[in-house]
């Protein structure tokens, strides 16, 4: 049976999430403390993590970052009562796969979980284009056979799509659908945020913006 780890210090929220997941044939373990949740998540035995951002002992941002740095690829849905786009973007940057603001509809949660569980888990492979070689297993980029750069999970997904597209530009909508999922309802400007992250790490001249079209890696540098 599919299993989920719920890390949330609000018992009512934890219970609502547990009942929602149970209706989707997902068995749940709930913890109220951030450090305890991180210790369990690090085992890699869960198929899904539902993570509150504001927790005692250790916050959700730190938990996301620690898990992804340790190579734990379990899908993560973050929950937060805070409004505004900054926290959502930061959570996604730390490695979360989805984000819901409290209070949320349990039906929306169920749909997000279902969509996330349908996504294929990443497999280790290396792709290369325009002097950029990306290894998805280590999330490491090698530039022109010299410099090596480490990417976050989301940065790696965006770069992998750009590499595989080659000279064909990818639109913002295409990147949103393939990286964040067709059901994503957050700020679409998150794509521009991640393009900026890639330019900062790989070099500004590595990624072109094609007006009214999208983005592609520059092959003539």
């Amino acid at each position: 049976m599919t299993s989920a780890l719920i890390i949330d210090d609000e018992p009512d929220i934890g219970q609502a999430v547990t009942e929602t997941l149970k209706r989707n044939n997902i068995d749940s373990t709930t913890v109220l403390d951030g450090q305890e949740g991180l210790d369990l998540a690090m085992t890699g035995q869960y198929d899904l993590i539902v993570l509150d951002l504001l927790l005692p002992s250790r916050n959700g941002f730190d938990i996301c970052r620690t898990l992804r740095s340790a190579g734990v690829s379990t899908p993560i849905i973050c929950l937060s009562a805070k409004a505004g786009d900054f926290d959502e973007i930061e959570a996604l940057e730390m490695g979360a796969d989805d984000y819901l603001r409290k209070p949320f509809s349990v039906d929306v949660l169920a749909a997000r979980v279902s969509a996330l569980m349908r996504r294929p888990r990443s497999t280790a492979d290396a792709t290369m284009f325009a002097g950029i070689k990306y290894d998805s297993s280590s999330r490491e980029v090698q530039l022109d056979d010299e410099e090596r750069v480490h990417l976050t999970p989301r940065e790696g997904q965006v770069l992998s799509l750009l590499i595989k597209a080659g000279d064909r530009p990818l639109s913002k909508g295409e990147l949103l659908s393939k990286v964040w999922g067709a059901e994503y309802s957050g700020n679409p400007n998150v794509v521009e945020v991640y393009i900026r992250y890639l330019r900062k790490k790989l070099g500004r001249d590595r990624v072109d913006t094609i007006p009214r079209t999208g983005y592609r890696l520059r092959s003539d540098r």
Side-chain angles (χ1 to χ4, degrees):
M1 186 176 186
T2 304
S3 63
L5 175 64
I6 303 167
I7 311 174
D8 197 307
D9 62 340
E10 298 182 65
D12 290 346
I13 296 292
Q15 183 62 33
V17 174
T18 296
E19 292 174 356
T20 300
L21 296 179
K22 187 175 181 180
R23 290 198 296 272
N24 287 268
N25 297 314
I26 299 176
D27 190 28
S28 302
T29 298
T30 303
V31 295
L32 307 179
D33 178 81
Q35 183 60 55
E36 182 183 359
L38 175 60
D39 292 341
L40 288 174
M42 286 288 285
T43 66
Q45 64 180 305
Y46 298 96
D47 301 294
L48 173 71
I49 298 171
V50 180
L51 174 66
D52 187 25
L53 291 180
L54 300 179
L55 293 163
S57 299
R58 204 150 185 172
N59 67 50
F61 297 114
D62 189 40
I63 291 172
C64 269
R65 179 174 55 246
T66 302
L67 290 173
R68 296 318 191 208
S69 295
V72 178
S73 60
T74 309
I76 299 173
I77 297 179
C78 282
L79 307 177
S80 178
K82 299 176 70 175
D85 295 328
F86 179 80
D87 288 316
E88 178 176 354
I89 290 172
E90 184 177 2
L92 295 172
E93 163 65 7
M94 291 302 101
D97 296 274
D98 207 341
Y99 185 101
L100 279 176
R101 290 186 176 90
K102 298 178 180 178
F104 53 84
S105 161
V106 292
D107 292 330
V108 170
L109 173 62
R112 297 286 186 91
V113 168
S114 179
L116 191 56
M117 299 307 291
R118 287 197 302 269
R119 294 186 197 173
R121 299 291 288 272
S122 61
T123 56
D125 67 331
T127 53
M128 185 171 182
F129 180 76
I132 301 174
K133 183 178 181 181
Y134 175 61
D135 186 341
S136 63
S137 61
S138 63
R139 298 201 306 277
E140 187 176 72
V141 177
Q142 185 172 350
L143 303 174
D144 298 321
D145 298 323
E146 296 179 3
E147 185 180 358
R148 294 179 182 273
V149 179
H150 188 75
L151 302 183
T152 66
R154 193 74 69 175
E155 290 168 350
Q157 288 178 287
V158 174
L159 179 61
S160 182
L161 287 171
L162 290 172
I163 289 175
K164 291 175 181 178
D167 290 317
R168 182 177 71 86
L170 296 179
S171 69
K172 179 195 292 188
E174 192 171 359
L175 287 168
L176 272 176
S177 177
K178 291 184 176 180
V179 177
W180 284 268
E183 298 82 5
Y184 177 72
S185 59
N187 189 339
N189 291 332
V190 69
V191 173
E192 282 93 333
V193 171
Y194 276 84
I195 293 296
R196 288 200 300 270
Y197 291 154
L198 288 177
R199 284 172 172 156
K200 184 176 181 180
K201 290 187 174 182
L202 307 181
R204 292 195 59 82
D205 63 340
R206 295 276 185 177
V207 184
D208 279 337
T209 298
I210 310 301
R212 297 181 297 279
T213 303
Y215 305 94
R216 71 180 177 193
L217 295 176
R218 180 177 294 181
S219 59
D220 61 349
R221 51 182 308 283

